[in-house]
Amino acid sequence: MPSTRHNPNQNHLLASLPDGEFAALLPDLEPCPLALGEMLYEPGRRLRYVYFPTSAVASLHYVTASGAAVETAGVGNEGMVGICLLLGGDSMPSSALVQTAGHAYRLERRRLQLAFDGAGLLRRLLLRYTQALITQMAQTAACNRHHSIEQQLSRWLLLTLDRAPERELVMTQELVASMLGVRRESITEAAGKLQQFGLIRFRRGHITVIDRQGLEPRACECYGVVKRELGRLLGDVQYRQEGLAAL
């Protein structure tokens, strides 16, 4: 079994597998560090691996012909990057890049498909996760259209905190603006308001959440919708892998 410092059990999907199914998959799970800004897949490119983040967070992006980008969803230790391989596609018109540096375990596409086609729990877990990811994408689209920049920023910070091991995020305002598809000046103004209320502290390249409980009311209902749906679909199977509670 790998050390607890970087352990595949830190990913909720992998940690939910029964002991035998997990043991069969373990030799093919390759640990890999993920650097900030690293591209995991590009639009139209055939995917070779899927990634199960443990401490890293990936952002699923759509980039327009003009070069403008917006985040459609985020993936951390609750999920998997590369869901299109389960749905019969080899590629996506979007991209996935690392928004929070950390670690993940990657699995070669053929090995994933073999396990997915088997009789174990993995198929049900990944299909449930796919539904949760679709909910997140739909909610993100609604949020970007109908809610204020401050609400969007608060939602994004809370979702990122749920996936990140630290309260301090290594993140520039330019990158946050790109994630949300808004102007940098808008993020500066919204972050300034949250800082005035004592909820966050930001300096160049870093954002620290000081008062998470106070931040939650500043977010729109989209944060709660995404979190509840993930819990509804996967809450009954998470953390069943023996030894996870000790991590």
Side-chain angles (χ1 to χ4, degrees):
M1 178 68 66
S3 70
T4 56
R5 184 179 179 186
H6 301 305
N7 193 306
N9 281 322
Q10 293 167 312
N11 178 275
H12 294 177
L13 293 176
L14 296 176
S16 300
L17 294 173
D19 290 348
E21 196 172 344
F22 176 77
L25 203 61
L26 184 58
D28 297 307
L29 290 170
E30 180 184 352
C32 55
L34 299 180
L36 178 65
E38 181 177 348
M39 191 72 69
L40 301 182
Y41 64 77
E42 298 180 60
R45 297 288 296 271
R46 191 170 185 262
L47 274 66
R48 293 183 56 198
Y49 300 96
V50 296
Y51 295 82
F52 295 91
T54 53
S55 57
V57 181
S59 175
L60 309 187
H61 264 64
Y62 185 82
V63 182
T64 67
S66 66
V70 66
E71 181 182 79
T72 57
V75 180
N77 60 2
E78 83 287 356
M80 185 188 83
V81 179
I83 209 75
C84 66
L85 292 180
L86 307 178
L87 306 177
D90 290 334
S91 64
M92 291 281 287
S94 56
S95 61
L97 59 84
V98 178
Q99 75 170 47
T100 301
H103 286 79
Y105 284 78
R106 71 181 188 180
L107 186 65
E108 199 271 333
R109 55 178 292 146
R110 291 187 183 88
R111 186 63 183 88
L112 173 77
Q113 290 166 342
L114 182 64
F116 184 77
D117 292 337
L121 182 63
L122 185 65
R123 172 190 285 267
R124 182 159 62 95
L125 285 174
L126 293 181
L127 288 177
R128 284 187 179 189
Y129 173 67
T130 299
Q131 182 175 339
L133 188 64
I134 291 171
T135 297
Q136 185 186 166
M137 291 177 172
Q139 205 67 37
T140 299
C143 187
N144 291 347
R145 177 66 179 85
H146 294 290
H147 296 141
S148 69
I149 303 299
E150 183 180 329
Q151 289 175 313
Q152 293 179 49
L153 176 60
S154 299
R155 166 189 60 83
W156 185 87
L157 287 171
L158 289 168
L159 286 173
T160 302
L161 279 180
D162 286 345
R163 302 166 175 133
E166 306 291 341
R167 290 192 307 165
E168 181 174 278
L169 307 176
V170 180
M171 185 72 53
T172 66
Q173 293 186 33
E174 289 87 351
L175 187 53
V176 176
S178 176
M179 300 283 186
L180 298 180
V182 299
R183 296 183 304 114
R184 180 191 180 280
E185 292 78 9
S186 299
I187 293 298
T188 300
E189 181 180 354
K193 290 180 180 179
L194 296 178
Q195 183 165 256
Q196 287 175 7
F197 284 110
L199 304 177
I200 69 171
R201 179 174 64 250
F202 67 90
R203 56 188 175 87
R204 186 169 183 83
H206 295 77
I207 302 176
T208 303
V209 175
I210 301 171
D211 184 0
R212 182 199 171 97
Q213 187 175 358
L215 186 63
E216 291 193 15
R218 312 294 297 192
C220 50
E221 71 269 20
C222 299
Y223 169 68
V225 170
V226 171
K227 189 170 183 177
R228 285 192 301 271
E229 184 69 355
L230 185 65
R232 182 182 75 84
L233 291 168
L234 294 171
D236 63 329
V237 293
Q238 286 181 3
Y239 304 117
R240 288 185 182 172
Q241 185 65 41
E242 184 179 353
L244 180 65
L247 296 179

